[in-house]
Amino acid sequence: MYLPPQFKAKDEAHALALMRAYPFASLISVDDDGFPAVTHIPLHLTQANGQHVLLGHCAKANPHWRYLQSRPQALVTFMGPQAYMSPKVYPDLTRVPTWSYLAVHAKVEATLVDESQAKDHLLKQLIGDHEPPYAAQWRGLGEDYQHKMLNAIVAFELCITELQCKLKLNQHRPESHVAMHAAYAEGTADEQALAEWMVKLGMVQP
């Protein structure tokens, strides 16, 4: 992605925090005709052999897993909080509106997970992110039903080979920071999250 130096995250921890807080991602590959194929799915961030890995799955009816099988290199994007920014945050009038947002792009190498027990373990990690009590309900379902559900999906591990993290919060315009933070702090959930990130990055005092 276009990544001016003033918006490039200096700390990998910022990217990891965003991927965990906003796990609904876009998995982007190339189909058999060379056209981009996109699947929107939740992913679980973990570590394996000292590398960051994203775990996920798609329906077996979705051809995307076949693209990963043929061309394992793919891109995963995460969108964090985002909001309009009014030029009213500046002390002068010769300004224009813009958009604030936090985003992560991860280049990945995909490996399919076929074995039923391994798929079940992968699903348990996703369940743990979103509804831990459901794990007990899943264990209580009949084996035939579990087997049917597991056969209906294709799971995969996406080993991250490169990370980009963009924190577009007008860092290069310090004259806007106090007013911008005040406006976002009183706004929507996304705007409030951006205000919190401004504090986290040391742009304003808490």
Side-chain angles (χ1 to χ4, degrees):
M1 62 178 156
Y2 175 55
L3 191 55
Q6 66 267 27
F7 302 140
K8 183 177 180 179
K10 307 297 189 293
D11 188 344
E12 185 186 74
H14 294 327
L16 303 180
L18 284 169
M19 289 190 284
R20 289 190 176 103
Y22 299 88
F24 193 65
S26 296
L27 172 62
I28 305 165
S29 298
V30 178
D31 69 14
D32 295 333
D33 296 320
F35 195 80
V38 184
T39 295
H40 305 287
I41 48 173
L43 295 172
H44 172 80
L45 177 63
T46 187
Q47 274 209 330
N49 302 317
Q51 290 187 289
H52 300 301
V53 178
L54 296 164
L55 307 179
H57 66 88
C58 66
K60 188 170 284 187
N62 183 343
H64 203 143
W65 68 269
R66 298 184 188 277
Y67 308 149
L68 293 175
Q69 187 177 52
S70 300
R71 293 169 290 278
Q73 191 172 90
L75 178 69
V76 179
T77 68
F78 297 81
M79 178 58 69
Q82 48 80 27
Y84 172 78
M85 193 188 81
S86 168
K88 290 189 290 187
V89 299
Y90 294 105
D92 58 289
L93 298 178
T94 54
R95 307 290 182 144
V96 294
T98 188
W99 209 269
S100 301
Y101 62 90
L102 312 181
V104 177
H105 286 195
K107 187 182 291 186
V108 300
E109 193 79 18
T111 302
L112 300 187
V113 178
D114 295 321
E115 197 270 322
S116 291
Q117 190 171 353
K119 282 200 284 189
D120 183 74
H121 178 68
L122 184 150
L123 289 177
K124 293 293 197 315
Q125 295 183 73
L126 283 163
I127 290 168
D129 286 344
H130 306 292
E131 192 182 5
Y134 178 74
Q137 181 177 332
W138 170 256
R139 284 193 298 270
L141 300 173
E143 288 188 14
D144 288 345
Y145 182 79
Q146 289 186 37
H147 187 68
K148 179 182 177 181
M149 292 297 99
L150 287 171
N151 278 341
I153 66 169
V154 177
F156 36 77
E157 298 177 350
L158 308 171
C159 182
I160 297 176
T161 58
E162 184 180 332
L163 268 179
Q164 287 185 320
C165 181
K166 186 171 185 176
L167 309 173
K168 187 176 180 293
L169 285 168
N170 225 26
Q171 291 94 319
H172 59 316
R173 299 284 186 249
E175 67 275 19
S176 70
H177 292 173
V178 172
M180 180 178 163
H181 179 266
Y184 280 163
E186 298 296 323
T188 64
D190 266 16
E191 289 170 334
Q192 291 176 32
L194 291 171
E196 291 172 6
W197 271 88
M198 292 181 72
V199 174
K200 183 183 296 189
L201 295 175
M203 296 171 60
V204 293
Q205 294 300 313

